[in-house]
Amino acid sequence: MTVKIQKWFLYFIPYSLVFSIFIADALVILTSILFLIYQIHRKNFLIFFNNFFIFFLVFWFYLIFNSVFSYDLHLSLSRSLPYIRFGILFLSISYMMSHDDFKNDFLKFTLIILLLVCMDSIIQFSFGRNLLGYEAHVSRISSFFKDELVLGGFLLKMYPIFLISIIYFKKKNSINTFLVSFILFIYFLAIYLSGERTAFFNFIVLNIFLLIILFKKKNIKYLLSFVLILPLIFILVNKNNDQISARYLSVKEIFNNKTPIIFTKTHENHYKSALEIYKSYPILGAGLKTFRQVCKKPEHNPIGCSSHPHNIFMLFLSELGLIGIAFYLITFFYFGLRLVKLLIARFKNNFKENSPILVIIIVSMFMSYWPFSPSGNYFNNWMSILNFLPMGFLIYYEKNRPKS
């Protein structure tokens, strides 16, 4: 009974990420509690001796330690203490994936909501309103997210699970090649329509990596489709709304300034504030969730003040200090080295039949920790769920990879 309830909680997490972060977080908490109760009752303690979870656990202990010495103890502890739920979440998913009915249903439910969001985005772009009547922004499409302009980031974070769903149902002959091409096209289009430049460019880079590593001669049609899809989308969108295209073209302003700027002047000010905070709190940082408070001090460049510095590297540096940045760098270089190994194997023509799903997850995780572009608040509840969902799939497919 406990397992069945956990399954349904997990099924609805992708939906609640779209419609209610409060419900999404509540489902994560309930899933974590049920998972702990179930595993302790079965005395299945070995499941917690997973390298990824152990690393997460050490990081969690550091977050608590960091909070004790932070600029605002209560504010930091309110975020760090319950953060353990995200580690239990990815363990729960990896465990549930061993049940075929869960794998089938979770991927089906997830694919449905992602396609619904994509179709709704196109409807909002075409008619000015989405299915719920939410109006489109001038140069941005938000779909069901209404005033939260996070559509592109959401689709980018969910992309590995989206591709896993396609591979899974393609193998089961539930969808054909034409349908695969169509849903890939609308997914690509929805990210472009979001107007989120970082999400779109990271999405392109991610797909280039995947095409290089997974390319086979028999899949030349997919490569041609990818090459043709960019100008096609640009022409279609520009014909109906040139403001979205203009938003992407505005990136050239970065290079037109006499004094080089980092992405935008606003982002540059955020990063300057983060660096000033780091200088004041070099070892432990100012503390989790404190950037919004500490950046108001005159010595910390208040002009760059915000809820967070909008860059994952700067966030870790300013709030968690040198010790915190070590955890980040270990994670980034871990996935970076795995990506490099995949690329070397491809170019040496000794690329074994590695699971395409593992390749997708590794490349996606690497891009999630990419430090050279703006990003959301890594420790935000919504972002944390999106960051750790693919980890459950990674653990499961690592454990069940084909024996070579």
Side-chain angles (χ1 to χ4, degrees), residues 204-215:
I204 292 175
V205 173
L206 191 158
N207 278 285
I208 290 173
F209 277 130
L210 293 180
L211 284 169
I212 292 172
I213 298 171
L214 298 175
F215 176 75

Side-chain angles (χ1 to χ4, degrees), residues 62 65-66 69-70 275 277-287 316-327:
Y62 173 68
F65 176 80
N66 170 274
F69 297 95
S70 73
L275 283 173
I277 293 172
Y278 162 71
K279 290 176 184 177
S280 298
Y281 307 90
I283 307 301
L284 298 178
F316 272 71
L317 195 66
S318 60
E319 293 194 345
L320 302 181
L322 284 176
I323 298 177
I325 207 70
F327 284 98

